[in-house]
Short mmCIF file of all heavy atoms in Angstrom, two decimals:
data_model
loop_
_atom_site.label_atom_id
_atom_site.label_comp_id
_atom_site.label_asym_id
_atom_site.label_seq_id
_atom_site.Cartn_x
_atom_site.Cartn_y
_atom_site.Cartn_z
N GLU A 1100 8.05 9.38 20.01
CA GLU A 1100 7.12 8.88 20.99
C GLU A 1100 7.19 7.34 21.06
O GLU A 1100 7.07 6.75 22.14
CB GLU A 1100 5.70 9.30 20.66
CG GLU A 1100 5.46 10.80 20.76
CD GLU A 1100 4.11 11.22 20.20
OE1 GLU A 1100 3.09 10.91 20.86
OE2 GLU A 1100 4.07 11.84 19.12
N ALA A 1101 7.38 6.73 19.88
CA ALA A 1101 7.48 5.27 19.84
C ALA A 1101 8.72 4.79 20.57
O ALA A 1101 8.69 3.80 21.31
CB ALA A 1101 7.50 4.80 18.38
N ILE A 1102 9.84 5.49 20.39
CA ILE A 1102 11.10 5.13 21.09
C ILE A 1102 10.94 5.31 22.59
O ILE A 1102 11.39 4.48 23.39
CB ILE A 1102 12.27 5.96 20.54
CG1 ILE A 1102 12.57 5.55 19.07
CG2 ILE A 1102 13.52 5.79 21.39
CD1 ILE A 1102 13.49 6.50 18.34
N ASP A 1103 10.26 6.41 22.99
CA ASP A 1103 10.00 6.64 24.41
C ASP A 1103 9.14 5.53 24.98
O ASP A 1103 9.35 5.07 26.12
CB ASP A 1103 9.31 7.98 24.62
CG ASP A 1103 10.24 9.16 24.40
OD1 ASP A 1103 11.47 8.95 24.42
OD2 ASP A 1103 9.75 10.29 24.19
N LEU A 1104 8.17 5.07 24.18
CA LEU A 1104 7.29 3.98 24.63
C LEU A 1104 8.06 2.69 24.82
O LEU A 1104 7.79 1.93 25.77
CB LEU A 1104 6.16 3.78 23.64
CG LEU A 1104 5.10 2.72 23.99
CD1 LEU A 1104 4.42 3.05 25.32
CD2 LEU A 1104 4.07 2.59 22.89
N LEU A 1105 9.05 2.44 23.96
CA LEU A 1105 9.88 1.24 24.12
C LEU A 1105 10.58 1.26 25.46
O LEU A 1105 10.63 0.25 26.18
CB LEU A 1105 10.92 1.16 22.97
CG LEU A 1105 11.96 0.05 23.09
CD1 LEU A 1105 11.30 -1.33 23.06
CD2 LEU A 1105 13.02 0.17 22.01
N ARG A 1106 11.15 2.42 25.82
CA ARG A 1106 11.84 2.53 27.10
C ARG A 1106 10.86 2.36 28.27
O ARG A 1106 11.17 1.75 29.30
CB ARG A 1106 12.56 3.88 27.21
CG ARG A 1106 13.53 4.15 26.06
CD ARG A 1106 14.51 3.01 25.85
NE ARG A 1106 15.25 3.12 24.59
CZ ARG A 1106 15.81 2.10 23.98
NH1 ARG A 1106 15.71 0.88 24.49
NH2 ARG A 1106 16.46 2.28 22.85
N LYS A 1107 9.64 2.88 28.07
CA LYS A 1107 8.61 2.78 29.11
C LYS A 1107 8.19 1.33 29.31
O LYS A 1107 7.96 0.88 30.44
CB LYS A 1107 7.39 3.63 28.72
CG LYS A 1107 6.28 3.67 29.77
CD LYS A 1107 5.14 4.56 29.31
CE LYS A 1107 4.03 4.57 30.33
NZ LYS A 1107 2.88 5.41 29.90
N ILE A 1108 8.13 0.57 28.20
CA ILE A 1108 7.78 -0.84 28.29
C ILE A 1108 8.78 -1.58 29.20
O ILE A 1108 8.41 -2.35 30.08
CB ILE A 1108 7.78 -1.50 26.88
CG1 ILE A 1108 6.63 -0.95 26.05
CG2 ILE A 1108 7.71 -3.02 26.97
CD1 ILE A 1108 6.69 -1.34 24.56
N VAL A 1109 10.07 -1.29 28.97
CA VAL A 1109 11.12 -1.93 29.76
C VAL A 1109 11.02 -1.49 31.23
O VAL A 1109 11.11 -2.32 32.15
CB VAL A 1109 12.51 -1.59 29.19
CG1 VAL A 1109 13.62 -2.17 30.05
CG2 VAL A 1109 12.64 -2.11 27.75
N ASP A 1110 10.83 -0.20 31.43
CA ASP A 1110 10.73 0.35 32.80
C ASP A 1110 9.57 -0.25 33.59
O ASP A 1110 9.63 -0.39 34.80
CB ASP A 1110 10.61 1.86 32.78
CG ASP A 1110 11.87 2.55 32.27
OD1 ASP A 1110 12.93 1.89 32.27
OD2 ASP A 1110 11.80 3.72 31.85
N ASN A 1111 8.48 -0.58 32.86
CA ASN A 1111 7.30 -1.14 33.51
C ASN A 1111 7.39 -2.64 33.73
O ASN A 1111 6.43 -3.29 34.14
CB ASN A 1111 6.04 -0.84 32.69
CG ASN A 1111 5.66 0.63 32.75
OD1 ASN A 1111 6.21 1.39 33.55
ND2 ASN A 1111 4.73 1.04 31.91
#
Side-chain angles (χ1 to χ4, degrees):
E1100 294 171 72
I1102 292 167
D1103 288 342
L1104 182 59
L1105 173 63
R1106 304 309 167 203
K1107 184 178 178 181
I1108 291 170
V1109 176
D1110 293 342
N1111 289 349

